[in-house]
Amino acid sequence: MAKKREEREMGMLFDGIIESMPLFAKELIAGGVAGGLAKTVVAPLERVKILFQTRRSEFQSIGLFGSFQKIAKTEGIMGFYRGNGASVARIVPYAALHYMTYEQYRRWIIDSFPDIGRGPVLDLVAGSFAGGTAVLFTYPLDLVRTRLAFQVVSPPKLNVQGIAGSDQVYKGILDCFSKTYRGSGLRGLYRGVAPSLYGIFPYAGLKFYFYEEMKRHVPEGQKKNIMVNLVCGSVAGLLGQTFTYPLDVVRRQMQVQRLLASNSPELKGTMETLVMIAKSQGWKQLFSGLSINYLKVVPSVAIGFTVYDIMKSSLRVPSHDEARIEVVTNKRNTQTSSLQS
């Protein structure tokens, strides 16, 4: 009896905490959980994809399964998660900001331009600006993640007298931050941000566009079905990534340039790098790792959208239409209070 009363009290406390939270905080939490979980699930594929993108010839020549075997043999299971700490540290605030600002931009556009349609163009614009905002705030963590994943380090027992392999440049997240900042300053931490922004604007916009557009055609009774959300998220991520993948390759190569041999050509601007890669490495290099990315994007975006919807429901975040009604009601109440005072 006492146990049931305690559980009921805990439930009431939890309900009170949820009800007292502002809407943006709920969206931040939902987005952060969704992003962190999705990224961890696909971390091994992300590691191999980065090695393919940055032209580690010893991995490209042996293919996908050979790369998995090589990493497992030389670095062990944890090798698949090298750089994942920085990746999760980046993706949690990134996803939190991305989803939250998407909702905020969407509400702001509806509020500011009441005559605008509620169709997919709204999601395209809101998603694009949300992606750009999230990238600007979290890009240094993405750069650190890429540089850590680029390294290939043999286990200590394979090195002479326990000395780390010669390919190890950074010991961890903080060491990478410190060395990058000391060597290139703040500009170094944002190296490659231009192609990231060029890529994220269409990708983030298209991702939300396709997801929301597909869900509009789902029967009302099936909209909370997990499998339906997974399918919608998979297709949305697949289509969005296909259109923007070459810019992702440009970004990765710019991020790891200083780790490459000194005789490598210097990469300056986004378009210059794009042209240089196409000329010197072939246009196929602009799509290197795309097949792996398909394997990664399908579960990643699907899990991300699905977990986000589940978290929104658990945190009692209103639907888009309900949120708009709440905002309009609050605005009217504020105007009424101002007139009365």
Side-chain angles (χ1 to χ4, degrees):
M1 192 71 178
K3 186 176 181 180
K4 288 184 178 180
R5 186 168 60 252
E6 184 179 337
E7 289 177 353
R8 188 164 57 250
E9 289 174 353
M10 287 296 294
M12 291 175 63
L13 176 63
F14 183 69
D15 289 343
I17 292 173
I18 290 178
E19 292 300 327
S20 64
M21 290 174 63
L23 183 60
F24 79 88
K26 295 178 183 180
E27 291 164 349
L28 280 171
I29 293 171
V33 172
L37 184 60
K39 181 60 70 174
T40 300
V41 169
V42 300
L45 287 166
E46 178 73 7
R47 175 83 200 282
V48 175
K49 185 199 80 169
I50 289 175
L51 291 171
F52 269 49
Q53 285 181 326
T54 49
R55 287 190 64 83
R56 305 287 303 205
S57 57
E58 66 270 31
F59 287 93
Q60 288 191 351
S61 61
I62 58 179
L64 176 60
F65 294 106
S67 297
F68 273 102
Q69 291 175 343
K70 182 179 178 67
I71 292 172
K73 184 177 180 180
T74 59
E75 302 182 61
I77 297 298
M78 294 308 296
F80 292 110
Y81 293 89
R82 182 173 296 281
N84 189 56
S87 183
V88 171
R90 178 195 73 93
I91 203 63
V92 168
Y94 171 83
L97 282 169
H98 194 179
Y99 284 108
M100 186 274 288
T101 53
Y102 161 71
E103 303 283 6
Q104 294 289 336
Y105 281 132
R106 194 178 188 279
R107 286 192 288 268
W108 176 80
I109 292 171
I110 292 173
D111 254 7
S112 303
F113 307 96
D115 295 331
I116 195 170
R118 302 297 182 83
V121 174
L122 174 62
D123 299 303
L124 178 69
V125 174
S128 296
F129 280 103
T133 301
V135 163
L136 285 175
F137 278 95
T138 61
Y139 185 80
L141 283 166
D142 183 53
L143 180 135
V144 168
R145 182 277 304 262
T146 300
R147 291 191 171 185
L148 288 173
F150 178 79
Q151 295 183 140
V152 180
V153 184
S154 301
K157 64 181 181 180
L158 297 180
N159 296 318
V160 179
Q161 296 179 349
I163 299 175
S166 58
D167 210 14
Q168 184 171 18
V169 180
Y170 306 113
K171 297 177 181 178
I173 297 174
L174 293 179
D175 183 52
C176 186
F177 260 117
S178 177
K179 287 181 178 177
T180 302
Y181 183 75
R182 286 202 307 266
S184 308
L186 186 62
R187 187 174 181 177
L189 291 172
Y190 277 88
R191 181 168 185 79
V193 72
S196 294
L197 289 173
Y198 297 154
I200 198 62
F201 269 99
Y203 173 65
L206 288 170
K207 186 173 69 173
F208 280 105
Y209 171 96
F210 288 126
Y211 182 69
E212 295 295 339
E213 179 63 13
M214 289 184 68
K215 287 190 70 177
R216 284 187 182 92
H217 298 285
V218 174
E220 193 63 36
Q222 297 293 319
K223 285 192 174 180
K224 292 188 177 181
N225 185 293
I226 292 178
M227 288 306 299
V228 170
N229 289 340
L230 284 172
V231 171
C232 291
S234 299
V235 176
L238 198 67
L239 293 174
Q241 186 72 179
T242 301
F243 291 113
T244 59
Y245 191 78
L247 288 168
D248 190 43
V249 174
V250 171
R251 170 171 61 109
R252 297 298 184 198
Q253 293 212 14
M254 290 181 73
Q255 286 177 335
V256 302
Q257 181 192 4
R258 293 184 182 278
L259 303 180
L260 297 170
S262 58
N263 59 353
S264 299
E266 184 179 358
L267 308 179
K268 295 180 179 179
T270 303
M271 293 309 299
E272 183 181 340
T273 302
L274 186 70
V275 173
M276 187 279 294
I277 292 173
K279 285 183 176 179
S280 63
Q281 303 172 21
W283 66 268
K284 288 185 179 180
Q285 178 60 26
L286 292 172
F287 294 92
S288 178
L290 181 58
S291 58
I292 302 174
N293 214 47
Y294 281 150
L295 295 175
K296 179 189 76 109
V297 162
V298 169
S300 179
V301 177
I303 292 170
F305 273 125
T306 302
V307 173
Y308 179 63
D309 283 342
I310 292 173
M311 288 296 297
K312 281 174 66 178
S313 179
S314 301
L315 294 170
R316 295 163 203 163
V317 175
S319 66
H320 287 155
D321 290 334
E322 292 170 340
R324 178 179 176 272
I325 292 171
E326 181 180 328
V327 170
V328 171
T329 302
N330 290 340
K331 181 181 286 187
R332 286 175 179 171
N333 291 339
T334 302
Q335 291 173 346
T336 303
S337 299
S338 300
L339 290 173
Q340 290 176 348
S341 59

